[in-house]
Amino acid sequence: MRGSHEEAAIDAIEATRAYVEDFLPEDEPLLNARRRGQEVGAMPIGPAGGAALRFIATLIGARTVVEVGSGCGVSGVYLMRGMPKDAVLTSVDIEPEHQRLAKQAYREAGLSGFRTRMIIGPALEVLPRLTDGAYDMVFCDAAKREYPEYLVDALRLLRPGGVVAFDNALWHDRVADPDRRDPDTEAIREVHRMIREDDRLVPLLIPVGDGLLCAVRRD
């Protein structure tokens, strides 16, 4: 009986996760962008995580947003749907093909009139060139080993009241497993620690998709 109860509990958790992910179904432009991203090896943020990005962008009235890793347009569509029409999305990606697919996704979603700035290059070279305190939101979904360095840059870029967010904050359930010591998992744990211990930040770890770690800069 014990085994059947445990299996039922696991099934219930999985059903709840699936319900959360499907709560706001994606439309055709998002589904197409997600499919193209998966075809080229990019793993865009999931539907529930994307909805959270749109919610945050709307909540804070984000007019200037930086995303690190374009997700072939999935995250950009969610962000821009939460931003005012005259807002600016700066998208940084090391892969030109991902940027090309992102532009296609924006057109299909009817966002081609939005102000977008697409920058191709390594994030750790691009972010230092952006203006201090000029951004309302920074979203990171690129090299996991660089997450701690992205946070340092994000804190410099954000205005007071701005939000930083990291996708894959649970990293396929590895972060919670102490036996997992690979570099990507350790880097994500480190950014968790940095955010928890920084008195300038108000953190929140949201268990949607593969985890979304957010923090508001309060000063």
Side-chain angles (χ1 to χ4, degrees):
M1 288 295 293
R2 184 180 182 84
S4 63
H5 284 310
E6 290 174 350
E7 290 171 4
I10 291 171
D11 288 344
I13 291 170
E14 291 302 316
T16 297
R17 283 188 172 186
Y19 180 84
V20 171
E21 288 299 308
D22 295 337
F23 177 66
L24 295 172
E26 294 187 318
D27 59 11
E28 188 172 349
L30 276 169
L31 290 172
N32 287 340
R34 184 175 301 285
R35 174 183 52 78
R36 289 190 295 262
Q38 291 168 347
E39 286 173 355
V40 299
M43 295 304 294
I45 191 167
L53 292 182
R54 184 181 64 184
F55 180 89
I56 294 167
T58 303
L59 183 68
I60 66 173
R63 292 183 173 275
T64 50
V65 176
V66 178
E67 65 168 3
V68 181
S70 67
C72 296
V74 173
S75 53
V77 169
Y78 273 114
L79 286 165
M80 285 191 282
R81 285 179 172 176
M83 297 160 65
K85 290 288 192 292
D86 60 347
V88 179
L89 174 69
T90 299
S91 181
V92 181
D93 202 308
I94 199 169
E95 296 290 345
E97 178 66 3
H98 294 185
Q99 292 281 35
R100 185 188 69 79
L101 293 174
K103 292 178 183 177
Q104 182 179 348
Y106 304 158
R107 288 194 301 271
E108 291 180 1
L111 298 168
S112 55
F114 240 91
R115 297 178 62 191
T116 55
R117 180 170 58 156
M118 316 292 279
I119 304 176
I120 297 172
L124 296 182
E125 294 179 11
V126 174
L127 294 176
R129 302 202 302 265
L130 302 181
T131 304
D132 293 8
Y135 295 90
D136 299 312
M137 186 172 178
V138 178
F139 169 61
C140 304
D141 187 14
K144 310 310 169 193
R145 297 182 195 190
E146 297 178 354
Y147 269 21
E149 293 166 282
Y150 296 163
L151 176 62
V152 173
D153 278 313
L155 292 179
R156 178 181 55 79
L157 296 174
L158 286 173
R159 52 103 172 150
V163 174
V164 62
F166 292 86
D167 191 26
N168 303 117
L170 298 176
W171 198 228
H172 315 302
D173 298 318
R174 294 173 188 163
V175 171
D177 183 350
D179 293 330
R180 298 281 191 165
R181 312 297 295 183
D182 61 277
D184 288 342
T185 303
E186 291 283 51
I188 295 171
R189 287 193 186 113
E190 175 62 11
V191 86
H192 284 205
R193 183 196 64 77
M194 292 169 67
I195 287 176
R196 279 198 309 265
E197 296 180 1
D198 194 320
D199 292 337
R200 296 169 296 175
L201 299 175
V202 179
L204 175 65
L205 179 57
I206 308 174
V208 295
D210 196 26
L212 188 68
L213 176 63
C214 305
V216 179
R217 176 164 186 155
R218 65 165 121 208
D219 61 28

